[in-house]
DNA sequence: GATTAATCCGAATAAATGCTCGGAAACACT
DNA sequence: AGTGTTTCCGAGCATTTATTCGGATTAATC
């Protein structure tokens, strides 16, 4: 019942399922946890609720996870890996559109938006309510991973950021774009449509390159 | 003991302290709560802990607050009001520096950074761990308030954002700057100094105006 | 078919903690 | 000093909920 400070939490899954049946319950648990998180919030994630929704017994949870946090961590780590994969793939497409910078940037912005939008509810809860979020390796590394992706794109592209400090400006550009998209997904500003924001964002990025 | 979904939480203080003695305990409670939040995290905020640190009895807490959440809400609302005030004040200074846009932007960026930095630990916990954060009016309105401040600055200044959609681009610019600063305060990227980031940020903003 | 290992079950346990309530103490006002 | 109001106290109640454990059930292996 501790929170998110001193204690070292065990966030790894306990044991690998060996039989197919076991793999199914393992997945059911992780998936059920993700659903409760997204639909009911972190406070609703009780071990009993997750077990119930997964259709397994409470005892089975502790067969594969050392504690509640490890279940949540598994669910969130999975989502992060998916996001990184989608964002990375979209960058490769964008770079392939070398000839038309606007089209490339546009595609990339929209892909990032889609990747976050698809998991909006989950991300909202994760970022706002999960106390040990930043103890999850996949989350902690996300920022750096995105930086790598951005650097990679810059190197392969003809366009370059031309400011005094290329590293700092690349970092900032990526951070700003990512934050703006995330913000609009999480906060859902009512007076400005997503479409309007995206196209304006593309303009701004082009101007900064 | 509920979390952050369906239930309507009472986040207002219960009753106003009438005597000076009472005002002192009221303040002590709010301040103690802020300290526990910033130094030990939300999970450490138990009614007993706050009472202890405030040097009052547990019973006294419930004299002025209907529940635990109201105490946390009071502490955070106070911080938000202070931030808005500081950011607003710094904008007025920046606008007064009309002649030198670079100096004005620079001053403003640094003031925002300072305002957030000063409350870094508190903000980190608030944004990452407090489940009902967005039910607090002062927090919910923060984004809009910042938008107003930005619009105000734009109107009073000679420089204008020149993109197809002035409203969207102003919104995005403010969001991006705010997010980037907040991000760097919360995340503390080790490989890039605060100074480096700030000056680059100033460059970028100038380029977008 | 017998034996071993993996998986699943769920009532019971144990601990944490938000909050109440009856009464004592301090204060304001006459 | 007397009276009513405000403030303060803190042991105890009530509830929630993470986790255990002994044993039943099913699958793999010989």
């Amino acid at each position: 019942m501790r929170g998110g400070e001193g204690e070292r939490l065990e966030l790894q899954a306990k044991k690998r399922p060996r039989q197919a049946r076991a793999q199914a319950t393992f997945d059911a648990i992780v998936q059920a946890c993700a659903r409760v998180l997204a639909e009911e919030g972190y406070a609703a994630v009780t071990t009993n609720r997750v077990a119930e929704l997964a259709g397994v017994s409470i005892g089975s949870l502790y067969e594969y996870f050392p504690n509640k946090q490890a279940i949540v961590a598994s669910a969130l780590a999975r989502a992060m890996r998916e996001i990184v994969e989608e964002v990375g793939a979209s960058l490769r497409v964008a770079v392939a559109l070398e000839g038309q910078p606007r089209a490339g940037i546009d595609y990339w912005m929209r892909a990032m938006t889609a990747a976050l939008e698809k998991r909006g509810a989950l991300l909202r809860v994760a970022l706002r309510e999960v106390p040990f979020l930043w103890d999850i390796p996949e989350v902690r590394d996300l920022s750096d991973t995105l930086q790598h992706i951005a650097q990679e794109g810059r190197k392969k592209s003809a366009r370059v950021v031309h400011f005094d400090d290329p590293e700092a400006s690349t970092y900032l550009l990526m951070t700003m774009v990512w934050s703006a998209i995330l913000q609009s997904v999480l906060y859902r500003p009512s007076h400005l449509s997503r479409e309007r924001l995206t196209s304006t964002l593309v303009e701004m990025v082009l101007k900064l390159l």
Side-chain angles (χ1 to χ4, degrees), chain A residues 35-49:
Chain A
R35 274 194 55 189
V36 177
L37 271 174
E39 295 172 11
E40 306 172 44
Y42 181 68
V45 178
T46 67
T47 51
N48 289 288
R49 179 93 185 84

Side-chain angles (χ1 to χ4, degrees), chain A residues 97-102 105 150-162 170 202-203 205-209:
Chain A
L97 289 174
E98 185 72 47
Q100 311 121 298
R102 177 177 294 270
I105 299 291
Q151 297 287 354
E152 204 178 311
R154 194 188 57 163
K155 283 176 194 161
K156 288 190 180 167
S157 167
R159 298 225 158 204
V160 213
V161 190
H162 36 268
T170 301
V202 172
E203 273 192 84
V205 171
L206 279 172
K207 186 151 189 176
L208 285 177
L209 286 179

